[in-house]
Amino acid sequence: MPKVQSYRKSAGSGALQPVRAGTDMSLASQEAVMRSGLPDGTAARAQRDMSMAGVQRGRQAAELMAAGAKLNEMGGREAARVADALDSSAQILTAMGARFVKMQEDHDAAEVMEAANEWHEYVKQYFNDPEKGMKATRQLANAKGLYDDTSKYLEVVTERCAQNLRTPQQKQAFLKSVAGSRLSAEEKASLYEAQEMGKYAKQTTQQTVQSAIASVAEDPTPTNFNANFERARDAVLFYMRGADEESQRIAVEGLRSDFHAGIITNRMQTDPITAERYFEQVKGEILPEARVKLEQDVRNAALE
């Protein structure tokens, strides 16, 4: 088959020049060649076809670019959705974490309060148990040393109640919660011990006075009187230590009056006349209230 060759005019001579296959030509150039009355338009048509393919590729590229932009947009929305999901998960995890922290704090606080409640129950029983408690077993002389014993007991109980607490923070919170009550319990023991020691001293003082009066009533000789009166007086004054001098003087006068009354009362049982004589000798040392009654009793006994 003969080779088809297209021609074009030279810019200077107007002669047609061959056009090589594959030479790029715009659509306008192709149409100009077609209108130039070339004997054969095959080459021009081939050039036009190639140009149309380029246009089509451009359109495809534009479509791909649009599709790419759309994909990018879709990717952005997907990324936003992922970000939202992550943010929501983070919020859930944060809430769960806070919830777990609160749960642990509640649990720890409850254990501390439970230990403190146990501590208070031990202390309550220590003071008030009807059979083994302090008030039932530590009275008068037995109350001696109660403060020291109570301090040691509280130390033991505090350690016992704290031993099941798991963390140093719990133990510190427990010790802080019972510190005030522990001090109060020690003060209570101290006051109780002092009160019982006061009762004990009063009781023994009274017993000393009664014993001395009974001894003198049976043997009212001056020697025995002076010895027992001195013993009783010393006990009374020791019990009244710290009191003013006037109060102590009145107490000693009352003691002497009681000694004379004891002698008179005892003699009235065996010798009313001697009792009346003794009364007349010492009535100036008997307190007025006691003297009036004793005088009447002595007179009645002497008349019998």
Side-chain angles (χ1 to χ4, degrees), residues 162-239:
Q163 66 183 358
N164 292 327
L165 297 175
R166 297 171 292 101
T167 68
Q169 292 78 8
Q170 284 181 303
K171 292 182 180 180
Q172 183 177 4
F174 164 72
L175 293 176
K176 182 178 179 181
S177 71
V178 301
S181 297
R182 180 172 178 174
L183 180 61
S184 176
E186 291 176 342
E187 182 183 26
K188 182 177 181 180
S190 175
L191 291 173
Y192 181 84
E193 180 178 354
Q195 176 183 339
E196 290 301 307
M197 288 301 98
K199 291 180 180 179
Y200 179 50
K202 181 178 181 180
Q203 182 187 76
T204 54
T205 299
Q206 291 173 339
Q207 290 172 347
T208 299
V209 170
Q210 291 170 359
S211 173
I213 291 174
S215 177
V216 170
E218 292 183 1
D219 180 12
T221 59
T223 302
N224 191 51
F225 183 98
N226 292 334
N228 280 281
F229 180 78
E230 183 177 350
R231 174 167 72 100
R233 183 194 61 197
D234 291 346
V236 169
L237 291 178
F238 179 79
Y239 179 73

Side-chain angles (χ1 to χ4, degrees), residues 6-9 16 19 32-41 44:
S6 298
Y7 291 83
R8 64 183 179 185
K9 291 181 180 182
L16 292 175
V19 178
V33 172
M34 294 293 288
R35 287 194 300 270
S36 65
L38 290 172
D40 191 349

Side-chain angles (χ1 to χ4, degrees), residues 63-76:
E63 291 175 356
L64 287 174
M65 291 179 64
K70 185 174 182 180
L71 288 174
N72 286 335
E73 182 181 357
M74 292 176 64

Side-chain angles (χ1 to χ4, degrees), residues 252-271:
V252 171
E253 289 181 355
L255 180 63
R256 188 179 296 277
S257 174
D258 290 340
F259 265 69
H260 291 315
I263 294 172
I264 294 170
T265 301
N266 185 65
R267 284 189 175 183
M268 282 193 300
Q269 308 298 323
T270 58
D271 191 352

